[in-house]
Amino acid sequence: MYYSAHAIFYFKVENQESFLIHENVYLVKADDDEVAMDLAVSIATEDQDLNEDGHLELNDKKAQLVFAGIRKLMAFSAESEDRVEPGVELTYSIMEVDTLDEVDALVRGEFVNVLYRE
């Protein structure tokens, strides 16, 4: 079975006032949810960058990219699993904003306050 695993990473710097977050979505193949979760955690843990050699910076400060956890793990529907190809929906998110203008701003990639539902 195929899964999409949504991994949350954050940048850690000295004296930070906010946290820049990345959500990386991994394609995982496993026999069940538990194995898929273990595999997703393993992949994401390997992708974190604790910056031991000093190469990673954020706003001119030494930074670490830290794996925080798996936010959600979604199994593909049985129909989708056999046709993993362009055009297949792999994952989705549910968010809420207050106005249609905010919907349009989100589409344009602008900063928008959203309520992340799922």
Side-chain angles (χ1 to χ4, degrees):
M1 179 178 297
Y2 286 99
Y3 296 82
S4 60
H6 296 241
I8 300 295
F9 294 83
Y10 67 93
F11 284 90
K12 181 178 177 182
V13 297
E14 285 188 30
N15 303 320
Q16 67 194 91
E17 295 177 10
S18 64
F19 292 85
L20 180 63
I21 294 173
H22 283 199
E23 178 178 26
N24 296 355
V25 181
Y26 298 99
L27 179 64
V28 176
K29 187 173 183 179
D31 292 332
D32 61 49
D33 294 359
E34 186 176 328
V35 172
M37 180 62 81
D38 290 345
L39 183 56
V41 168
S42 176
I43 292 167
T45 299
E46 288 179 23
D47 281 353
Q48 75 180 348
D49 187 346
L50 301 180
N51 197 18
E52 294 169 356
D53 63 2
H55 72 279
L56 185 62
E57 292 185 356
L58 180 66
N59 299 326
D60 298 321
K61 295 180 181 178
K62 297 293 180 198
Q64 293 180 316
L65 180 62
V66 181
F67 169 57
I70 301 296
R71 188 175 68 78
K72 66 180 175 180
L73 183 70
M74 299 177 64
F76 289 19
S77 67
E79 307 87 53
S80 298
E81 185 177 340
D82 294 333
R83 44 173 267 227
V84 178
E85 58 188 43
V88 172
E89 179 183 307
L90 298 180
T91 186
Y92 65 88
S93 296
I94 299 173
M95 297 173 268
E96 185 176 330
V97 295
D98 293 328
T99 68
L100 186 54
D101 287 339
E102 290 176 325
V103 172
D104 294 336
L106 185 63
V107 170
R108 290 189 303 271
E110 298 173 4
F111 286 107
V112 176
N113 288 323
V114 300
L115 177 58
Y116 215 110
R117 297 275 186 191
E118 180 179 341

